[in-house]
Amino acid sequence: MRNVHLLGATALALVIAAPAFAQQKPAPAPDNTAIDEIVVTATKREQTLQDVPISVAVTGQQTIERAQVRDLIDLQSVVPSLKVSQFNATGQTNFVIRGFGNGNGNDGIESSVGVFIDGVYRSRSAAALDDLPEVERIEVLRGPQSTLFGKNVSAGAISIVTKKPQFEAGGKLEATIGNYNTRQIKGSFTGPLSDTLAVRLSGSLNKRDGFFTNLTTGNDVNDRDRWSIRGDVLWEPTDKTSFRVIADYNKINETCCAVSSIYNGPATLAIGAVLKKPISDTTKVFDRNVIFNTDPNNTLSGKGVSGQVDHDLGFAKLTAITAYRNQKNASFQDIDFTGADISNNKTANTIKTFTQEVRLASSGDGPLNWLIGGFYQKEKMDTGRTITYGSDIRAFADALSGPVPATLLGALPATLRPALTGRSNLYALEFLQSLATPTLVKPGLTYFQPGQGINDFYKMNQTSYSLFGQVDYQVTDKLTLTGGLAYLNDDKKARSNVVMNDPFSSLNLSAVPQFPALGLPGNLYSALGALQFFYGNSPTHGPVNYPNATESGELKGDKVTYAVRAAYDFGAINAYVSYSTGWKAGAYNLSSDSRPPNANGVGRTAQPENVDVYELGVKANFPGGYANAAVFKQSIKGFQSNAFTGLGYSLVNAGEESVKGFEIDSAWRPVEWLNLTAAVTYLDPVYDSFTGAACVNYDTARCPVDPATGRRPNFRDLTGERPAAIPKWSFSTSATVNHDFGGDYRGYARVEFDYASKTQLTETTPPELSTWGQNVVNASLGLTNTAKQIEVSVWARNLTKDNSLISTFATVAQDGSYSGYPNAPRTYGVTVRKSF
């Protein structure tokens, strides 16, 4: 027993952090320091957190409320192995567990982390951004979960369980006010309509001024303006059968998202010096000012309905969950992030998803327990963007192309020299072409004109299904063996409709006839190559739409995954060892960087991800608390790397990426009035093989510029290097002091600390610009009246004003410049809750 105490004390000495006390049924205890027993459904059965033999972090309702966890972005502050990032649009949100996760920004790629709300799979990350309804608990399952969850959970799963309707009338009202003019109202009412029928109605309204100011327009950016409504009906006609139907709708209309320049290269400096337009001061990134010539706008709406049937057959329990969701997302953004009107981007998508899950779980008390089931998904998606050049595009292109060199002027006949003296290389190209084709090319009026650009649209239909099963056999009272098996099948059919309206990008500069005739093999087109923003590195210098004669537009794949596990109950300690595999289907590159197979450029598709993980876990109970630890080695073969390169996405498979590490989650109540929690994650990742990483500006050794074309190779080799965006150490801590003031009044004070060690945020940005960590302190102070069921809390997030960047990227169409997303500033407010 002494060793058990030491294990808990050691974990708490490292950090005092935060998974949570879920609000569950209390375990019997002879003293006032016992903590509540936490029940989870990570294995599709109800088990206690200490008994379930997988690595899972649980956050309960009390922690959600006191830590001001408003959505899944906030959730990462109490689960250190989870990272959630929102980028340049409300719907562009990325989930990462143990350093693995992708899919942001490119609709053809699904996340490696599956999000489930009341058992319903949310196929795109934006669909999981609703302000959370009244939640019972949130489970974060770490490592591949393909055996039981069946769809895109190769890195893990997030399972959100909301409160069911109750047969006793009750409810909760909550109001919050805070800085940045924060105003939020949430409400939930539940009660019976009959002896067998109960209902829960809930809704929320969330408004806030922006964290950032657009210095060009004077308006706020990164505000909040969203609302949601939800109806939940539970019918229990018998003690063996229940039906639950949930319908919801949410709406977002926000000025989002803020992007700050973190390094101004020559192209951006030219906007300020030559065009005389405002550009960002990179020494004041955390003043949270931005410079856009127009304000960004995002609208998102999601609606859906689901039905769940549970029926006790005696020998087994039958569960069926049917759901349909429809999500629409649209955004408009100035994508050059300056005061110049250079380029604007309109994006939109519509995603319609039908899912069906059926499972049968044994209910006997014998040594053998089993579960079998199936999952089906049908999805239709329309997605695309329109990029158009603005009124300043020609002046910008002239500045980037540079002045006509003396060698060119000297090679021209004397009669032509005055026309090009003091002109740009771009003008010289138009002038020379106009000599041969005067009706087609007019100097100064042909290339880089307002309204030119690209229409980049796609359709994708997807059909997926899986069959899964798991058996647990209790060999002895102490030893349980588990085996799981799943068959997964995925079929994607995609169609592109890309129309390029940028005549300059369609040119094959090296074959323009005027150049060799004048003896100019490279001076001109090497200077202009970098201006071909679309398809410059493609042999066709233009899109090749599909399906076509050589491309079917269909991507099929299937896989058998499995898991084996042995768990042993030592009494105060439960231990398990497991090996499991996971799979995520292949992906389409639905961006203008997509190229036909074997062409010079990034491919159309990425092959599936195959995951395997070895894990050893220990779960220890001790007086007043618990400590859970897991050691693992996880690898992904064919990791779908989705790097943003400036205008599109470089979608390629890494040969293999692996990570070794450990996790510790613990909670301890040393005395009745003090709750301590602790969670720490250590990750040591490496690219075992990655020869197709996107080339970048700053890596001149592996990505040299070709002097003949002005372009770099498409790929570089990152084999043996540490993947970006995976901090070595992450931990979160919390301490809550409770005090009884007498009568009906209780008080609490809570402080939590969220830490991530410094790491390079992305491989497409220089390390000296993109290496960041975080040290965030959150706190709350509350007073409750138990008789009147009223709670008043004062809270603050990022109390110490920690500044960091969430992510960085190469600035659009400005080679050598870089931009980033600053974190949220300090926020604070007052929340009042009334239960009844």
Side-chain angles (χ1 to χ4, degrees), residues 313-325:
L313 298 172
F315 72 97
K317 180 180 179 181
L318 174 67
T319 298
I321 303 174
T322 307
Y324 173 79
R325 299 205 62 80

Side-chain angles (χ1 to χ4, degrees), residues 668-691:
W668 188 29
R669 183 179 292 168
V671 291
E672 182 181 1
W673 52 268
L674 178 63
N675 291 340
L676 304 173
T677 63
V680 59
T681 299
Y682 170 81
L683 299 173
D684 181 19
V686 65
Y687 282 127
D688 303 280
S689 173
F690 192 12
T691 59

Side-chain angles (χ1 to χ4, degrees), residues 544-660:
V544 177
N545 285 310
Y546 60 91
N548 54 50
T550 58
E551 297 177 270
S552 66
E554 186 170 10
L555 188 62
K556 293 183 177 181
D558 62 352
K559 184 73 174 182
V560 174
T561 66
Y562 59 92
V564 292
R565 183 168 56 237
Y568 197 87
D569 183 358
F570 290 94
I573 297 177
N574 290 333
Y576 66 90
V577 60
S578 68
Y579 172 75
S580 57
T581 64
W583 184 76
K584 190 180 83 166
Y588 267 99
N589 187 359
L590 303 185
S591 83
S592 58
D593 271 359
S594 176
R595 302 289 186 269
N598 303 318
N600 180 26
V602 179
R604 295 277 200 217
T605 63
Q607 295 303 305
E609 293 180 350
N610 290 282
V611 186
D612 64 78
V613 58
Y614 298 88
E615 186 170 315
L616 172 65
V618 176
K619 299 192 173 188
N621 293 296
F622 53 88
Y626 65 84
N628 301 334
V631 180
F632 56 86
K633 183 180 186 301
Q634 186 169 328
S635 65
I636 294 185
K637 294 181 179 178
F639 175 72
Q640 295 170 358
S641 174
N642 180 44
F644 181 69
T645 57
L647 281 171
Y649 292 87
S650 174
L651 175 62
V652 294
N653 290 101
E656 183 174 3
E657 179 182 346
S658 63
V659 61
K660 295 180 289 186

Side-chain angles (χ1 to χ4, degrees), residues 201-495:
L201 299 175
S202 58
S204 69
L205 178 66
N206 191 348
K207 291 180 176 289
R208 186 199 66 214
D209 292 344
F211 291 151
F212 297 75
T213 300
N214 184 354
L215 297 180
T216 307
T217 66
N219 296 325
D220 287 346
V221 179
N222 275 37
D223 65 341
R224 277 282 172 93
D225 187 358
R226 54 184 65 179
W227 61 272
S228 64
I229 189 169
R230 192 173 196 258
D232 191 346
V233 178
L234 177 64
W235 181 40
E236 296 182 342
T238 71
D239 59 357
K240 294 182 179 296
T241 305
S242 70
F243 298 87
R244 186 183 184 188
V245 178
I246 302 171
D248 67 273
Y249 180 85
N250 71 292
K251 180 74 174 181
I252 296 174
N253 186 0
E254 297 176 349
T255 305
C256 181
C257 296
V259 175
S260 294
S261 297
I262 60 175
Y263 183 81
N264 290 332
T268 307
L269 293 174
I271 293 173
V274 180
L275 277 65
K276 306 300 182 183
K277 299 290 185 177
I279 60 174
S280 295
D281 184 346
T282 57
T283 66
K284 299 179 179 180
V285 172
F286 296 106
D287 285 2
R288 293 181 172 81
N289 294 320
V290 298
I291 295 180
F292 304 148
N293 66 286
T294 57
D295 294 318
N297 179 260
N298 280 253
T299 60
L300 185 150
S301 64
K303 57 186 176 182
V305 61
S306 66
Q308 178 171 335
V309 179
D310 292 286
H311 182 65
D312 188 351
L313 298 172
F315 72 97
K317 180 180 179 181
L318 174 67
T319 298
I321 303 174
T322 307
Y324 173 79
R325 299 205 62 80
N326 186 326
Q327 176 184 298
K328 295 182 180 180
N329 186 16
S331 66
F332 173 81
Q333 190 170 38
D334 165 21
I335 56 172
D336 56 83
F337 313 127
T338 70
D341 183 16
I342 293 175
S343 58
N344 299 286
N345 185 22
K346 293 181 180 179
T347 64
N349 63 38
T350 299
I351 303 172
K352 300 176 181 179
T353 308
F354 171 82
T355 57
Q356 176 69 62
E357 180 179 1
V358 178
R359 61 179 185 266
L360 191 65
S362 66
S363 52
D365 296 328
L368 182 68
N369 285 286
W370 49 266
L371 181 149
I372 58 172
F375 175 86
Y376 174 83
Q377 178 198 25
K378 182 73 173 180
E379 183 170 273
K380 294 183 178 181
M381 177 172 63
D382 290 271
T383 184
R385 66 177 183 173
T386 296
I387 296 179
T388 53
Y389 294 146
S391 59
D392 293 318
I393 184 62
R394 180 55 190 240
F396 177 62
D398 280 334
L400 291 188
S401 71
V404 175
T407 54
L408 175 57
L409 289 174
L412 291 173
T415 56
L416 299 181
R417 291 174 193 166
L420 297 183
T421 301
R423 294 287 192 170
S424 69
N425 278 315
L426 178 59
Y427 184 91
L429 171 66
E430 289 174 321
F431 180 81
L432 294 173
Q433 285 187 300
S434 70
L435 298 178
T437 55
T439 60
L440 298 178
V441 180
K442 297 183 183 300
L445 299 174
T446 301
Y447 302 127
F448 295 104
Q449 299 300 301
Q452 293 177 354
I454 190 170
N455 294 318
D456 209 6
F457 291 95
Y458 305 88
K459 291 179 179 290
M460 188 170 75
N461 295 338
Q462 179 180 196
T463 302
S464 304
Y465 69 88
S466 65
L467 303 173
F468 55 85
Q470 182 169 294
V471 175
D472 299 317
Y473 182 68
Q474 194 171 7
V475 181
T476 69
D477 290 342
K478 303 291 186 181
L479 176 64
T480 300
L481 302 180
T482 299
L485 193 68
Y487 172 75
L488 302 98
N489 187 289
D490 186 89
D491 185 358
K492 293 182 175 73
K493 295 179 181 178
R495 177 179 296 274

Side-chain angles (χ1 to χ4, degrees), residues 677-762:
T677 63
V680 59
T681 299
Y682 170 81
L683 299 173
D684 181 19
V686 65
Y687 282 127
D688 303 280
S689 173
F690 192 12
T691 59
C695 243
V696 292
N697 174 287
Y698 67 88
D699 191 347
T700 56
R702 289 177 290 192
C703 303
V705 174
D706 185 342
T709 64
R711 295 195 168 274
R712 302 179 185 88
N714 289 311
F715 306 117
R716 60 181 177 143
D717 188 353
L718 294 183
T719 301
E721 297 192 13
R722 182 185 182 92
I726 305 177
K728 179 177 290 188
W729 291 98
S730 302
F731 67 82
S732 54
T733 71
S734 77
T736 304
V737 176
N738 302 284
H739 183 71
D740 187 346
F741 290 103
D744 298 321
Y745 289 94
R746 307 284 188 273
Y748 67 86
R750 174 187 171 90
V751 63
E752 61 186 54
F753 178 54
D754 184 21
Y755 169 84
S757 60
K758 291 184 177 181
T759 187
Q760 185 178 355
L761 298 176
T762 176

